[in-house]
Amino acid sequence: MKYSADEIIEVVRMLSEEDLDIRSVTLSMNTLTLISDDVNKTLEKFNSLNPILEKFSYSVDKVSEKYGIKIVTKRVAVSPVQYFLEVLAESDGIKIGEKLEELAEKNGIDYISGYSAFADRGFTKGSLSVINTLAEVMNSTRRLTGMINAASTFSGLNSDAIKKFVDQIFSMKPEASSRVSILSNVPPDSPFVPSAHHGIGMPDMMINVAVSGPGVIENAIKRSSPSSLEELHDVIKRSAFKISRLGELIGKAVSKEIGVPFGSVDLSLAPSPKVGDSVAGIIEAMGIEKIGGHGSLSALAILMDAIKKGGSMATSHVGGLSSAFIPVSEDSIMAERALEGYVDFFTLLALSSVCNSGIDMVGVSKKQGKDKVIGLIMDVLSLGITLNKILGVRVIPVDSEPGTVIDLGGLLGKVVVMRLKDVSVERFTSLNGFIPNTIKRLEAG
Amino acid sequence: MENAIVVVVGADKPGIVAGISSKLAEENVNIVDISQTVLRGIFAMIMLVDISKSKVPLSELRKELQQKGKELNVEVLVYHEEVFKYMERI
C-alpha cells in the first residue's frame, strides 16, 4: 500500500481520538469600499457582501465533508470599523455593529470580527468612536468581535486607550467581554477572534486557517516517553508538522473552492475546554506535575520553539499569532490549576514572555478596582513592545469575588475569577499619555 | 485517480469485508489495496479505494458506509487520501 498501516492509523488516531481538527477557517475581506459619509448608504452597501458570505459558508461545509475533517467554526474578518467611523457619527458604530451581526447570522458565520481600532500612539475620531461604543455594541450582539491595538513596537503604548477600554469592559456582560481584547503588535492576518481583522497590505480577500491539536502533542509525548530534552523537542516538532499540514490542506482546499487566495496558517495550538484538548496538558505531559510549577516557562519555551520549527516546515504561509495559547477558561487543566492556586496572574505574565498569547479568558472581580486591571494590561503590552511580540489581554470583569467560577459554556468554558494583587497602583495608572516606543524600535532604523 | 482511505474498526467476524466491499461496488468504487492492523486493541481493516468513478460524492459514500457499518456493528471512518499525503509525506 502507498501508506503503511502505522501511518494510516497514526492519522486516524489524531483525527478520531485526539481532537485534531480545524478550529477555524476565516475569510478575511477588504470592506473599505463600503465606506460612505451617509450611514444609510454604508449599511445598504454591506448587503452586497451576502453572496460571498453565503458561498464561503457553503464552501467550508463542502470541504469539511469531502475530506472528512471537522471544521469547528467559520469566521469572517472585515476591515477595522475605525475607518468607517472617521467620517460618520460615533453612534453610527452601533448600527454598523448590528449590520455585521445580521450578516453573520444570515450566512451561518460563527464570528464576524473587525469592530476594531488602532490607537497605539493616540486617537483619531474613528478609533475613539470604536472604543466609546464597544460596550453598547458587544452587549447587543453575540457573533461580533473586536480588538483595540493599544501598543506597538513602532509607536509605543497608549495608556489612555487602555483606560477607556477598561471603562468599557467594566460595563459589559461577561459573555460580551469574551469577544473583545486589547493587544500589542496585532498581526494583519489572524484567523482567531477577537484579533481577526482585514489588515493593511493584504489582498482584497484571503483565507486564513487556525488548527487545534494539543491532544495530538500530549499523546505523542506520552507514547514516546522521551529520555532527553532533544528527543522531547523532536517529538513535538514532528507532531506540530503534521498538525500544521492539515491546516495547509484545508486552507488551500477552501481557497480553491471559493476562488479566493490562500492567506496563511496560524501555527497556534488552540485548546478547548474538552478533556484531552489542553495546552496545559502538554506542559504536564512534559514532566511538570502541575502547570505553574518552576520549569513551566522552560517547558513552554521548548513547546513554542518546536511548534514553530515543525510548523514552518509544514507551510510557507505562516501567519496570525502562531503561538501556544494559554487561555484559562478555554483550557480545562489551566482552569483547574488556577482554582487550585498553581496559576496566578504573575505565572501567566511569565508564560507570556515565551509565547504570543498573553492573559486570556480570565475573570477579574470588579470589586478589586479598575486600576489593577489597567496595570495588568500595561504589564502585558509593555512585555509586547519590549520583546517585540504580539501579546493581548482578554479579561472578563464580573461582580463576584475572586475564586468564584462563571460558566460561559461551549468553547469559552468556565471562567475562573482570579485574584489581582491587592496593591493600589492608581498613582501610576492615572498618569496620562503614552509610553514612548522602546529602543527595540531603533533596530528597524 | 482520486483515492480515499476507508478504515473499518470492530471485532473480526464473517461478513464485514463482504458487507463493505459490496457497498463500494454498488457505488462503482474500486478497492485498490487492502490491509489489516490493530487500532485501540481492536481489529481494523484499511482499504485504499479509487473514488474517481464513484456514482456519489465522498460525503455521500461516507454516510452510506457508516450506515452499513452500523448494520454490521463496526465503526467506519472515511477520509480523502490527500489528508494522508499531506500529513505523512513531505
Side-chain angles (χ1 to χ4, degrees), chain A residues 1-3 5 7-17 20 65-69 241-242 245-246 248-249 252 313, chain B residues 2-3 5 7 33-35 37 39-40 46 48 58-59 62 77-90:
Chain A
M1 196 178 270
K2 283 164 103 176
Y3 310 92
E7 287 175 330
I8 288 173
I9 291 305
E10 180 185 54
V11 173
V12 169
R13 200 196 286 130
M14 287 182 191
L15 295 167
S16 68
E17 293 172 34
L20 173 59
E65 284 185 9
K66 176 180 171 185
Y67 290 97
I69 302 298
F241 169 81
K242 289 172 185 176
R245 286 294 281 172
L246 187 69
E248 167 111 340
L249 169 68
K252 283 191 168 164
M313 273 294 286
Chain B
E2 187 181 8
N3 294 331
I5 302 267
V7 180
D33 206 343
I34 189 162
S35 72
T37 185
L39 175 66
R40 300 169 217 152
I46 302 168
L48 179 70
L58 189 55
S59 52
R62 181 180 299 113
L77 301 158
V78 182
Y79 301 101
H80 197 282
E81 190 208 354
E82 287 272 293
V83 175
F84 300 85
K85 196 172 119 193
Y86 260 74
M87 291 176 69
E88 294 293 340
R89 298 286 179 270
I90 295 183

Side-chain angles (χ1 to χ4, degrees), chain A residues 91-110:
Chain A
S91 58
D92 291 336
I94 292 147
K95 294 177 188 163
I96 293 176
E98 283 167 357
K99 188 64 175 180
L100 289 169
E101 176 84 6
E102 178 198 310
L103 287 169
E105 199 177 342
K106 194 172 171 186
N107 295 291
I109 307 296
D110 299 286

Side-chain angles (χ1 to χ4, degrees), chain B residues 6-33:
Chain B
V6 178
V7 180
V8 182
V9 192
D12 190 16
K13 62 183 180 196
I16 293 178
V17 178
I20 298 295
S21 53
S22 63
K23 179 52 82 184
L24 291 169
E26 207 177 290
E27 298 298 4
N28 204 30
V29 173
N30 189 32
I31 300 172
V32 181
D33 206 343

Side-chain angles (χ1 to χ4, degrees), chain A residues 52 92 119 184 370 378 395 434 445:
Chain A
I52 183 73
D92 291 336
S184 64
K370 283 181 186 169
M378 288 179 76
V395 287
F434 70 96

